[in-house]
Amino acid sequence: MLELRGVTVRFDSTRAVDGVDLDVPVGGVLAVLGPSGSGKSTLLRAVAGLEELAAGSVRYDGRDLARVPPHRRGFALMFQDGQLFPHQSVAGNVGYALRLRRTPARAVRARVAELLALVGLPGFEDRSTSGLSGGERQRVALARALAVDPRLLLLDEPLSALDRGLRERLARDLREILLAAGTTAVLVTHDHEEAFTVADRLALMRGGRLVQSGSLEEVWRSPLDAEAARFLGYATVLDHEAARRVLAAAGEPSSGGAERRVALRRSALRVVPGGPLRGRVRSARTTPDAVRLRVDVDGVGEVDAVAAPDEPVPPSGREVTLTVDLSRAARLGADRTRRPH
Amino acid sequence: MSGSAGRARGGLGIAALAALPLLVLGVFFVLPVAGMVGRGFVTDGRFDPVAVLEVLGRPRVHRVLWFTVWSSLLATAVTVALGLPVAYVLHRLRFPGRRLLRSFVLMPFVMPTVVVGVAFRTLLASSGPLGALHLDGTPAAIVAAMVFFNLAVVVRTVGALWEGLDRRREEAAAVLGASPLQVLRTVTLPALLPGIVSAASVVFLFCATSFGIVLTLGGLRYATVESEIYLLTTQFLDLQAAAALSVLQLVAVSLLLYAARRTRTGRDPALVRAAARDASRPVGRRDVAVVAVTVVVLALVVAPLAALVVRSLRVPGGWGLDNYRSLGRLGAGDSVLVPVSAALGNSWRVAVDATLLSMLLGVLVSLVVTRRPRGGPARRAVGVLDGLFMLPLGVSAVTLGFGFLVTLDRPPLDLRGSVWLVPVAQALVALPLVVRTLAPVLGSVDPRQRQAAASLGASPARVLLTVDLPVMWRPLLAATGFAFAVSLGEFGATSFLARPERPTLPVVIYQLVSRPDPSSFGTALAASVLLGAVTVAVMTLVERLRLGSVGAF
């Protein structure tokens, strides 16, 4: 397993990565989620051996890798833009690592064909890399990275450069390929959808520090703070009285005294007749999945809400009642998740 | 406006821009070269190709051809081998003083060839610092000087490409298990190959047509085709043989240029850097070997220049400025007609005229060859013009000067006495360099930027001013500096064309070193230091503009 302890990377005077502790068990897929500039890519490069550690250690299967250069670590790194070698064909790229290991040509050909089939590009061997679409390039890069069964696969924003539909499809494929190959992987991304699709563990980074880590469920259900919640796709964070009202409306007893904060997704409040909350519609818009509204809820403030798409769109100013779907909400900073010190 | 009318207008615009350069090229390039070709094939008014074959059968000509080929190949190989580590250190590593070193490496390239020749003779003479090696007057000295002169071409061309090479491509290979050497072999070198091929072909071209270096270092024993043409014309007055060699060289060099163009794939390697981020990193432990090589190479660059400066301060019985004092006077019983100071004045005036002319032509040519008209015929025309304006690069300066001499000497174009003859010749020699500096940058401006400006209401003049000029002013100044330096040091064509009472400084230096007496050689040393210093001063001004890597070939 991969163990990071106090990993710190300095660029001149700034600490790009600052004392990060993380574990990834064999066969696990960890997503490191953070905004750009949070140090997540630098962390990945440090694990690959491409950045020098100012402090801390990177261990794999108990062995400290400080003195092991990148090419001896047995890892593979896949870059955001693939970084395919333009002077080689698709087969040349995929078989690159195999040829470095002096694999016989027949075996290389067979393995390349197998890998291309795995990533959904059978028969692409003789194509030139310049003619590939963005999605195809990333698939080739993935096949290249998987060629020699790396003991750890590092993925640096592998899908960010692709458009939305392709990204969602490829994220599912990626998850299946990683599971099928049993690959241990660390994925770096700023897109929480991607993280949730591909990974089974999640780590949040901000300003070079690890903010929160745990299983998908743990982090998802209990973001550490408002910023973490927003980054995980929650639209609104309520505190004090507003939070208490929403929880009460959902039937959750107030746990008296302790300050509670609640993060809501845009679909956490639903317009239903006779709901426990009351509010006035500010604006409404029809989308394919639901009617999306902004509602000024009494004692809570202006928040997002949805209504079923088959109902008529309520006009602005209409009084509505709402119910709370707690599966679309999260309580912040609950103790179930491990907080780094 | 209909599409065909628009295309016609675009074609007219190109024709208008191309008119002046075409006229100049026709009169001062095609005519002289054609006249020279005619001389080779016509004897007593009759077409007589046998005479050319007779010249090409001479044993001395065989020796000259063989020497030209092997010395140029060797010099090219050594230049590339030494240039690559230097390019790596100066463009991939980050350390204080890097910019200074980059401009320092450029220095030999703009040094007048005569000065380089004199510097190497000083260094290698039996009384010089490296006299013990007994290299003076050997082919090794010539090859060493060629390497010295051309190192900058490799460092700049390959360095620019290397700098723009995304480091992550190499990292991807390393993480897949490639050792540093495997990364170099399988990823870096293939990516650099276009730049290396392009630089090597330019270096080979410069070596094969090098003139001033060979003439000052090889004397009569070792000659390239270029210096042989000069000797045949001025010493042996065998114009037909000279013409035959010129034709041969013209054909060979044109073929080489064509081949180099074909291998250069698609985009100009110097411009791939546009979008790349700084890929350099601090010097680390693993760079020891490559840094050591660079230090040695840089020491080899310093050595001849240092020897030149030091030796110029030597006077009989000690040190002094006597050599410099003699710059203002004529030596006793001299074949040199003017003092060095007057020759420098001539050089300066000629260089100003030549620079103005080559910049005027260069800007027009660059505007023409970077247009991308829609219509097929117009686009083909631009392609032809592009090749045409590069031709002076393929034709040696000596051939050009010789051509001027044999064709522009009778009415209606009797220019023998004209003060314009030398500047025009020098402007043509500098033209390809100017175009190669301007056109790639001009071509890299995304046409959509111009379209965006036009759609926002900018007139064509305003587009030029607000879109093109902001990216062009630095290359413009750089090209001006290059043209000026080339003109100051130009020796090949000028040696034919300069009038005896108005010689330029390189011509005077050559005359001085050709004389046996030590006081003349001393004056030549001081004059070389002076010419070198002026050239370096001009180039330093240009370098201060932070040109980065524009001006690669």
Side-chain angles (χ1 to χ4, degrees):
Chain A
M1 79 184 246
L2 176 73
E3 297 165 274
L4 309 186
R5 291 291 173 270
V7 168
T8 301
V9 178
R10 263 182 230 272
F11 290 147
D12 299 323
S13 59
T14 59
R15 292 176 178 219
V17 176
D18 193 357
V20 168
D21 299 333
L22 267 179
D23 293 328
V24 185
V26 171
V29 179
L30 168 77
V32 179
L33 190 61
S36 59
S38 61
K40 57 189 193 302
S41 285
T42 308
L43 178 69
L44 201 69
R45 293 170 56 83
V47 173
L50 298 170
E51 300 290 347
E52 214 168 309
L53 299 191
S57 68
V58 175
R59 295 172 158 272
Y60 198 90
D61 285 346
R63 185 181 168 206
D64 191 342
L65 299 179
R67 303 186 139 267
V68 182
H71 64 280
R72 300 241 171 82
R73 294 195 174 192
F75 300 169
L77 173 60
M78 180 180 158
F79 285 96
Q80 181 175 356
D81 46 4
Q83 292 296 336
L84 299 181
F85 306 133
H87 54 281
Q88 291 176 353
S89 66
V90 167
N93 269 282
V94 176
Y96 179 81
L98 296 166
R99 276 179 281 118
L100 287 178
R101 288 161 179 74
R102 307 206 181 285
T103 313
R106 278 173 75 103
V108 172
R109 263 202 305 279
R111 177 78 174 130
V112 167
E114 184 188 322
L115 286 160
L116 285 177
L118 180 69
V119 298
L121 296 176
F124 269 57
E125 278 89 344
D126 298 327
R127 299 262 193 121
S128 137
T129 55
S130 57
L132 301 178
S133 71
E136 288 166 349
R137 297 180 71 84
Q138 291 308 81
R139 286 170 191 266
V140 172
L142 181 63
R144 183 176 74 177
L146 290 171
V148 288
D149 294 317
R151 44 186 193 156
L152 177 65
L153 180 61
L154 304 165
L155 302 155
D156 188 358
E157 306 245 7
L159 308 176
S160 302
L162 308 176
D163 61 55
R164 191 190 165 105
L166 188 59
R167 194 168 64 222
E168 286 170 0
R169 202 166 68 236
L170 215 49
R172 280 197 305 275
D173 289 357
L174 182 59
R175 170 76 189 163
E176 277 164 25
I177 290 168
L178 291 179
L179 276 182
T183 310
T184 312
V186 178
L187 164 85
V188 151
T189 181
H190 65 265
D191 176 10
H192 62 273
E193 303 274 4
E194 193 175 310
F196 283 110
T197 312
V198 179
D200 45 45
R201 294 182 65 78
L202 197 59
L204 288 183
M205 270 189 88
R206 202 188 298 154
R209 288 174 176 278
L210 193 65
V211 178
Q212 189 178 4
S213 71
S215 72
L216 285 187
E217 172 74 10
E218 284 167 352
V219 177
W220 171 247
R221 300 303 314 165
S222 313
L224 180 75
D225 54 22
E227 209 178 326
R230 289 204 186 90
F231 207 75
L232 289 167
Y234 290 95
T236 318
V237 176
L238 304 174
D239 51 12
H240 303 303
E241 182 59 21
R244 201 195 56 74
R245 264 176 182 267
V246 168
L247 284 175
E252 286 270 312
S254 164
S255 60
E259 185 184 322
R260 274 288 167 89
R261 280 186 296 169
V262 175
L264 303 178
R265 292 188 71 75
R266 291 203 294 171
S267 52
L269 299 187
R270 180 172 292 273
V271 174
V272 288
L277 292 173
R278 181 175 295 278
R280 194 178 293 275
V281 173
R282 289 284 180 207
S283 62
R285 227 154 42 80
T286 307
T287 69
D289 294 328
V291 177
R292 298 203 174 277
L293 308 135
R294 291 287 291 173
V295 180
D296 191 358
V297 179
D298 296 346
V300 173
E302 194 172 310
V303 292
D304 292 294
V306 290
D310 49 350
E311 285 178 28
V313 177
S316 175
R318 161 86 52 91
E319 290 256 346
V320 289
T321 56
L322 306 101
T323 180
V324 180
D325 178 1
L326 266 194
S327 71
R328 317 293 292 159
R331 263 172 279 199
L332 301 193
D335 297 325
R336 274 179 291 169
T337 139
R338 188 167 69 86
R339 275 199 234 189
H341 15 274
Chain B
M1 180 170 51
S2 80
S4 67
R7 274 203 292 279
R9 220 179 64 156
L12 275 180
I14 289 173
L17 285 173
L20 180 66
L22 276 177
L23 183 71
V24 173
L25 207 66
V27 174
F28 294 104
F29 183 76
V30 178
L31 196 63
V33 171
M36 180 267 312
V37 172
R39 267 211 181 229
F41 286 97
V42 178
T43 325
D44 302 327
R46 280 206 335 254
F47 180 68
D48 182 15
V50 181
V52 171
L53 293 176
E54 183 271 318
V55 171
L56 297 182
R58 292 180 195 170
R60 173 161 172 102
V61 169
H62 288 169
R63 270 208 312 281
V64 166
L65 284 177
W66 174 233
F67 180 77
T68 306
V69 171
W70 79 255
S71 64
S72 307
L73 280 178
L74 181 63
T76 305
V78 175
T79 309
V80 170
L82 295 181
L84 288 183
V86 179
Y88 175 81
V89 169
L90 294 188
H91 290 269
R92 287 294 272 206
L93 298 182
R94 203 164 44 229
F95 53 90
R98 181 173 70 163
R99 261 187 58 205
L100 200 72
L101 276 186
R102 281 190 192 176
S103 43
F104 177 77
V105 166
L106 184 68
M107 201 164 64
F109 182 66
V110 295
M111 276 286 165
T113 52
V114 179
V115 173
V116 174
V118 172
F120 269 81
R121 274 184 70 178
T122 316
L123 183 70
L124 301 174
S126 52
S127 59
L130 295 182
L133 298 175
H134 300 296
L135 292 177
D136 194 16
T138 67
I142 296 175
V143 170
M146 284 174 174
V147 172
F148 171 89
F149 187 70
N150 287 304
L151 194 66
V153 177
V154 175
V155 174
R156 286 236 144 182
T157 311
V158 180
L161 195 57
W162 215 330
E163 194 173 326
L165 198 64
D166 197 327
R167 186 173 282 285
R168 291 174 303 163
R169 197 189 292 173
E170 292 161 321
E171 289 171 349
V175 176
L176 288 171
S179 68
L181 241 112
Q182 284 173 322
V183 172
L184 184 71
R185 192 169 53 79
T186 60
V187 177
T188 315
L189 284 182
L192 294 180
L193 200 63
I196 296 176
V197 169
S198 159
S201 52
V202 170
V203 170
F204 182 81
L205 193 69
F206 283 160
C207 290
T209 59
S210 66
F211 172 60
I213 291 173
V214 181
L215 203 62
T216 42
L217 288 173
L220 289 175
R221 265 182 70 204
Y222 298 102
T224 56
V225 173
E226 185 93 351
S227 66
E228 185 70 3
I229 294 169
Y230 175 82
L231 293 176
L232 285 170
T233 315
T234 58
Q235 309 280 311
F236 307 122
L237 302 176
D238 186 350
L239 294 189
Q240 192 169 37
L245 281 181
S246 292
V247 172
L248 180 69
Q249 185 174 34
L250 179 61
V251 172
V253 168
S254 303
L255 283 177
L256 183 71
L257 270 185
Y258 179 71
R261 243 182 128 84
R262 286 293 297 270
T263 57
R264 199 185 300 164
T265 46
R267 280 201 292 173
D268 203 302
L271 287 167
V272 183
R273 67 195 291 274
R277 53 186 183 182
D278 186 8
S280 62
R281 58 171 174 78
V283 186
R285 251 168 298 153
R286 55 192 164 139
D287 303 316
V288 170
V290 81
V291 168
V293 172
T294 303
V295 169
V296 170
V297 171
L298 291 179
L300 292 178
V301 170
V302 177
L305 301 176
L308 177 69
V309 173
V310 170
R311 183 70 168 71
S312 73
L313 296 169
R314 282 290 285 275
V315 294
W319 302 90
L321 292 171
D322 294 14
N323 288 330
Y324 289 88
R325 285 195 199 98
S326 69
L327 291 179
R329 333 181 270 268
L330 284 171
D334 229 318
S335 62
V336 181
L337 288 176
V338 300
V340 168
S341 52
L344 180 63
N346 292 338
S347 278
W348 187 270
R349 277 190 297 278
V350 168
V352 170
D353 294 342
T355 304
L356 286 175
L357 187 57
S358 66
M359 286 308 292
L360 173 66
L361 295 176
V363 168
L364 290 175
V365 170
S366 302
L367 285 174
V368 171
V369 300
T370 52
R371 290 294 114 151
R372 295 282 170 263
R374 282 271 168 72
R379 191 155 44 200
R380 273 194 293 282
V382 167
V384 170
L385 287 174
D386 193 10
L388 197 63
F389 291 126
M390 280 301 120
L391 263 183
L393 191 69
V395 176
S396 74
V398 168
T399 304
L400 190 68
F402 181 43
F404 270 41
L405 210 61
V406 296
T407 51
L408 303 178
D409 59 345
R410 49 186 170 260
L413 275 170
D414 186 3
L415 297 172
R416 273 171 304 169
S418 166
V419 290
W420 275 99
L421 205 53
V422 176
V424 167
Q426 292 187 349
L428 283 177
V429 171
L431 181 61
L433 204 62
V434 171
V435 175
R436 293 301 293 150
T437 307
L438 297 182
V441 184
L442 204 57
S444 73
V445 177
D446 192 328
R448 286 173 300 181
Q449 292 209 343
R450 297 192 188 102
Q451 290 158 4
S455 73
L456 293 169
S459 66
R462 187 113 191 136
V463 169
L464 208 63
L465 201 70
T466 51
V467 177
D468 292 300
L469 198 62
V471 280
M472 287 312 293
W473 71 270
R474 277 184 179 158
L476 277 171
L477 283 172
T480 310
F482 271 129
F484 199 81
V486 166
S487 172
L488 270 184
E490 213 291 321
F491 180 53
T494 314
S495 57
F496 282 91
L497 301 174
R499 301 193 51 81
E501 70 277 11
R502 269 202 308 270
T504 62
L505 192 45
V507 173
V508 168
I509 291 174
Y510 178 65
Q511 287 168 348
L512 285 169
V513 285
S514 306
R515 293 161 54 79
D517 60 304
S519 77
S520 285
F521 192 71
T523 310
L525 290 172
S528 295
V529 173
L530 181 67
L531 181 55
V534 172
T535 314
V536 169
V538 170
M539 286 317 293
T540 309
L541 274 176
V542 172
E543 262 307 285
R544 283 191 63 95
L545 304 169
R546 288 201 195 216
L547 281 158
S549 301
V550 299
F553 300 88

